[in-house]
Amino acid sequence: VLATTRYGETGSSRAPLLIAHGLFGSGKNFGVIARNLAKNRPVITVDMRNHGASPWTETHTYPELAADLAEVIEANGGHADVLGHSMGGKAAMALALTHPALVGRLIVADIAPVAYGHTQDGIIEALEATDVASATSRSGADTLLAQQLDDHSVRAFLLQSLDLKASPPRWKMNLAALRANMENLTGWPGGGTPFDGPALFLRGGDSDYVTDRGEDAIREFFPQAVIEAVPGTGHWLHAEKPGQVTPRVAEFLNG
């Protein structure tokens, strides 16, 4: 069972919004957006398997991630709107294509239902090469990680998944399993039935994750899809411009 955090009124008559984060992340990545959206509806963020406080498993495939999300929805009333970013977006799409009765409105952030040619093995190697066990603070861990990764924003994102309270400090990610399943993570399983419900696809205006080929695939699997760019943002559009993303998501959820 995935670890979850719930925001908003527990007795609300509205279906919850379920939020699924991307690779190397956790539910806390969406804390600001979740708190804002929870003013009008319950919001549930999850830690995906092999991330955060959720169980570690040897396998990490999109059918499994979709089944994990389905289990959370079934435990919370049996129907939800779903928002997913990157890996979480692919999991959300797989959920909608295979368990459509569970999903009301679908929001996908900067990912398409296609296989990608890139790999994230370099990030895993950087994390494994950083001696976080010796870190006594997040800033100290950042100094260590900077020897492997130049990009400050990427380091800040990754350091959200460092457990400094553990003895010794450790990453809250199953790096071995993520490395072993990288082909599954960058791939796309296919299958399922086109999802006929409302769908909003937000892409980073400066990101290359949703190409023309990706848009064609989106329209094939999600015929009701609205595809919009968020100007001046890259792949982590929700972190870069929450003030633009949150109201657009709220507008879409409110129909």
Side-chain angles (χ1 to χ4, degrees):
V1 178
L2 299 184
T4 62
T5 301
R6 191 178 182 102
Y7 301 80
E9 297 294 326
T10 54
S12 173
S13 60
R14 299 190 70 174
L17 171 67
L18 180 67
I19 302 181
H21 64 81
L23 183 62
F24 305 129
S26 69
K28 70 167 64 171
N29 299 153
F30 279 87
V32 171
I33 287 178
R35 281 188 287 273
N36 275 303
L37 293 173
K39 294 170 184 173
N40 298 307
R41 60 166 59 237
V43 177
I44 301 168
T45 61
V46 302
D47 291 347
M48 304 294 275
R49 66 167 62 197
N50 293 314
H51 293 75
S54 283
W56 286 16
T57 60
E58 290 185 7
T59 54
H60 196 98
T61 68
Y62 287 113
E64 289 172 327
L65 299 186
D68 291 344
L69 297 180
E71 187 176 17
V72 173
I73 293 173
E74 287 162 350
N76 287 275
H79 194 72
D81 298 325
V82 183
L83 186 163
H85 169 249
S86 199
M87 175 191 77
K90 279 191 171 180
M93 287 187 283
L95 171 71
L97 296 173
T98 56
H99 299 77
L102 300 180
V103 181
R105 290 174 173 265
L106 176 70
I107 305 122
V108 177
D110 209 53
I111 202 77
V114 296
Y116 285 79
H118 65 268
T119 174
Q120 300 296 340
D121 284 340
I123 297 276
I124 293 176
E125 289 164 7
L127 295 173
E128 290 177 333
T130 302
D131 180 24
V132 292
S134 66
T136 56
S137 66
R138 214 163 291 278
S139 61
D142 183 55
T143 300
L144 293 170
L145 188 56
Q147 297 172 25
Q148 309 292 332
L149 290 171
D150 291 333
D151 192 319
H152 177 268
S153 61
V154 172
R155 295 200 309 273
F157 165 71
L158 294 169
L159 287 165
Q160 291 184 54
S161 291
L162 177 63
D163 186 358
L164 281 169
K165 294 179 181 177
S167 183
R170 64 176 184 87
W171 296 110
K172 292 191 285 188
M173 298 175 277
N174 185 352
L175 298 176
L178 297 177
R179 183 201 295 277
N181 287 274
M182 190 56 65
E183 191 172 332
N184 293 327
L185 282 163
T186 58
W188 174 248
T193 305
F195 176 71
D196 233 355
L200 173 65
F201 284 75
L202 295 175
R203 61 178 182 82
D206 300 330
S207 172
D208 61 0
Y209 271 71
V210 180
T211 62
D212 290 345
R213 169 174 160 264
E215 289 200 12
D216 289 343
I218 289 168
R219 298 188 193 287
E220 176 186 348
F221 287 109
F222 303 94
Q224 303 299 322
V226 174
I227 305 172
E228 297 177 3
V230 180
T233 60
H235 185 54
W236 284 280
L237 63 168
H238 57 287
E240 295 171 34
K241 295 282 179 71
Q244 290 187 36
V245 172
T246 306
R248 182 63 189 99
V249 170
E251 179 187 22
F252 175 73
L253 291 174
N254 291 329

